Amino acid sequence: MRVLGVDPGLTRCGVGVVEGVAGRPLAMLGVGVVRTPADAEAGQRLVAIEQGIEAWLDEHRPELVAVERVFAQHNVRTVMGTAQASAIAMLCAARRGIPVALHTPSEVKAAITGSGRADKAQVGAMVTRLLRLDAPPKPADAADALALAICHIWRAPALHRLQRAREAARPSRIPTTASVRKVTR
């Protein structure tokens, strides 16, 4: 499975591509940051993020895009920028028919380090170790994007089993004779 991880941000949007399957060594195919100038208008910044993500999608052809789920913070301005960048990543993937998975920061940290409260340095160190890199990707947004991709690859089999179980547990949508009578009366 090839996954593009996106750590959304309006100034720095981390992107990283990881390939592999759960239980086997993973390979980093690319990592970077889509940057926008802080003094540019919001619309221009969003266009720049879209162009950057589209370029990554063109180059790496991921099967899935894993995006950090936006969570509430005290700084509304930061949340808005993060949400906007997140929406751009989801839009780019959806436009191409690529599935999108959202993971919370604590889910990613727990998957990568074993603790949902790990700090950026711990996440960077584990990403370095898991992908057999010489040094942690810089800036931290890039390492976070790789962590998102790794998290999804590791969690995908369990998430898929849960989805199948939910679908199997749903009642059939074929109308029964009793429900047809109620509708026609």
Side-chain angles (χ1 to χ4, degrees):
M1 171 180 281
R2 182 177 292 189
V3 178
L4 170 66
V6 179
D7 181 38
L10 203 50
T11 303
R12 288 182 322 272
C13 184
V15 287
V17 181
V18 176
E19 188 169 62
V21 295
R24 301 243 192 253
L26 303 172
M28 179 189 76
L29 302 182
V31 65
V33 176
V34 176
R35 297 178 187 272
T36 67
D39 60 348
E41 291 182 18
Q44 293 172 332
R45 295 173 83 182
L46 294 172
V47 168
I49 291 169
E50 179 198 24
Q51 291 169 343
I53 290 173
E54 289 287 350
W56 278 83
L57 292 171
D58 286 341
E59 182 177 347
H60 295 284
R61 306 263 184 234
E63 298 166 55
L64 187 130
V65 175
V67 180
E68 184 177 281
R69 183 183 301 272
V70 178
F71 62 98
Q73 294 176 338
H74 299 293
N75 186 339
V76 175
R77 187 172 180 205
T78 301
V79 170
M80 290 302 295
T82 302
Q84 291 165 342
S86 177
I88 294 295
M90 291 187 286
L91 172 72
C92 291
R95 188 183 291 143
R96 293 169 181 245
I98 301 171
V100 174
L102 300 174
H103 299 284
T104 66
S106 59
E107 287 172 345
V108 174
K109 291 174 185 179
I112 301 301
T113 71
S115 170
R117 295 179 180 224
D119 62 23
K120 295 236 181 234
Q122 291 170 309
V123 172
M126 284 306 295
V127 165
T128 303
R129 187 174 182 192
L130 293 168
L131 296 175
R132 299 168 312 284
L133 305 175
D134 295 332
K138 300 284 181 184
D141 309 277
D144 289 349
L146 291 171
L148 275 153
I150 294 167
C151 172
H152 186 77
I153 290 169
W154 285 356
R155 292 184 56 159
L159 293 173
H160 185 66
R161 283 192 302 272
L162 284 171
Q163 181 181 357
R164 283 195 322 230
R166 276 187 289 231
E167 289 169 0
R170 283 188 195 146
S172 172
R173 295 185 188 244
I174 300 171
T176 63
T177 307
S179 65
V180 172
R181 277 191 216 132
K182 288 179 188 175
V183 173
T184 58
R185 287 185 185 177

